């Protein structure tokens, strides 16, 4: 019954190929995104999923682990697996763009308030990290289903700034996508620092919160595949709209 489950299987209609566990994960992901499986609700049992998809227990567990890695479900020992109750979340160690993270969570990404200018007085961290004497600030507000959740301020070197335009950001919804597709600079590794901060007057105005509202701020130093410094970024979100997830293993 299960002899094919680890082979590549054709999607219905002759579409792209995927492994058995990916097909199970995609099916559950779609049910979560559509609201059929609501936040906090319990997923079908492993046995029920095995029967519904014609796969083994190991395949079902691999699919659930994939959803847990994306923070879509919460697996509780002895109780079962539940749809995660969350705002926007990000797993530490994951260098995907915000757009990729939002899409994986079934949330519609958006960008507003784009501003791209030479920064005459960049933060010391940006000036020390990025090459060249002229540094650009790419600022935007990230939205999830139309609601602002993150103020992003990316400082980039002059050599990369020419291809970063409001039109390109609106089209791709991702600075990293612009870097990859137009500049050949694929973000490969980064160092992050996370701080609790109080919203400044400008943070408050852009995020539609009160001045002094607690923010979760992430500072990231990013290099591309060649080791070149390509971005220093501050991204700040109200604590009730964003969370970081740390997964530990012994």
């Amino acid at each position: 019954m299960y002899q094919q489950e680890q082979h590549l299987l054709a999607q219905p209609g002759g579409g792209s190929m995927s492994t058995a566990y990916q097909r199970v994960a995609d099916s559950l992901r779609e049910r979560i995104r559509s609201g059929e499986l609501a936040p906090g609700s319990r997923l079908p049992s492993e046995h029920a999923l095995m029967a519904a998809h014609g796969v083994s227990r190991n395949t079902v567990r691999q699919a659930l682990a994939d959803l847990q890695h994306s923070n879509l479900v919460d697996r509780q020992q002895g109780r079962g697996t539940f749809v995660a109750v969350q705002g926007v979340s990000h797993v530490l160690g994951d260098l995907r763009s915000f757009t990729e993270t939002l899409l994986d969570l079934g949330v519609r990404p958006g960008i507003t308030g784009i501003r791209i200018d030479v920064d005459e007085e960049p933060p010391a961290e940006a000036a020390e990290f990025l090459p060249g004497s002229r540094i650009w600030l790419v600022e935007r507000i990230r939205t999830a289903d139309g609601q602002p959740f993150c103020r992003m301020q990316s400082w980039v070197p002059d050599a990369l700034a020419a291809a970063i335009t409001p039109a390109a950001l609106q089209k791709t919804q991702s600075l990293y996508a612009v870097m990859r597709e137009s500049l050949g600079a694929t973000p490969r590794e980064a160092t992050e620092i996370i701080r609790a901060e109080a919203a400044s007057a400008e943070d408050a105005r852009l995020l539609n919160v009160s001045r002094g509202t607690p923010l979760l701020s992430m500072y990231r130093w990013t290099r591309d595949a060649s080791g070149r410094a390509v971005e220093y970024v501050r991204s700040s979100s109200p604590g009730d709209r964003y969370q970081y997830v740390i997964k530990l293993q012994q």
Side-chain angles (χ1 to χ4, degrees), residues 26-250:
D26 287 345
S27 174
L28 291 170
R29 185 178 285 109
E30 180 56 33
R31 293 175 68 184
I32 292 171
R33 288 175 176 173
S34 69
E36 178 185 347
L37 292 172
S41 65
R42 185 172 179 171
L43 267 65
S45 67
E46 290 183 356
H47 183 76
L49 291 171
M50 290 165 57
H53 295 276
V55 296
S56 70
R57 186 179 300 274
N58 283 342
T59 297
V60 167
R61 288 180 174 176
Q62 193 173 4
L64 295 176
D66 184 60
L67 295 176
Q68 185 179 33
H69 178 74
S70 298
N71 205 40
L72 288 175
V73 302
D74 179 22
R75 301 174 75 183
Q76 301 178 18
Q77 187 172 4
R79 295 191 60 213
T81 302
F82 298 81
V83 179
V85 179
Q86 59 181 337
V88 178
S89 63
H90 180 79
V91 178
L92 288 181
D94 188 349
L95 193 51
R96 294 179 302 166
S97 69
F98 272 102
T99 298
E100 292 170 309
T101 300
L102 291 174
L103 290 172
D104 199 38
L105 292 170
V107 176
R108 186 180 76 256
I111 298 179
T112 64
I114 298 173
R115 183 170 68 89
I116 304 174
D117 290 306
V118 173
D119 192 341
E120 301 292 351
E121 297 183 358
E125 294 88 346
E128 293 170 2
F129 179 64
L130 299 171
S133 58
R134 191 160 76 156
I135 294 174
W136 291 70
L137 170 60
V138 181
E139 184 166 12
R140 63 271 190 216
I141 300 299
R142 297 310 313 259
T143 63
D145 287 339
Q147 299 301 313
F149 78 91
C150 181
R151 180 188 184 189
M152 298 197 72
Q153 299 164 281
S154 295
W155 287 267
V156 299
D158 190 56
L160 299 183
I164 302 172
T165 65
L169 288 173
Q170 288 288 3
K171 179 181 178 181
T172 63
Q173 293 288 304
S174 168
L175 177 59
Y176 282 5
V178 175
M179 288 184 174
R180 284 194 304 267
E181 296 169 10
S182 301
L183 300 166
T186 301
R188 182 58 55 86
E189 64 178 22
T191 298
E192 288 185 350
I193 292 177
I194 301 171
R195 301 173 183 161
E197 297 180 331
S200 67
E202 187 67 1
D203 290 330
R205 182 181 70 83
L206 294 170
L207 292 170
N208 194 28
V209 296
S210 300
R211 184 173 182 175
T213 294
L215 300 180
L216 192 62
S217 294
M218 180 273 292
Y219 294 82
R220 176 187 288 177
W221 292 255
T222 306
R223 296 182 181 274
D224 68 6
S226 69
R228 174 179 52 169
V230 295
E231 178 200 37
Y232 171 72
V233 62
R234 173 192 185 245
S235 52
S236 298
S237 304
D240 61 347
R241 301 181 196 174
Y242 199 78
Q243 64 183 2
Y244 275 84
V245 179
I246 304 173
K247 296 190 180 298
L248 306 176
Q249 182 174 336
Q250 184 173 6

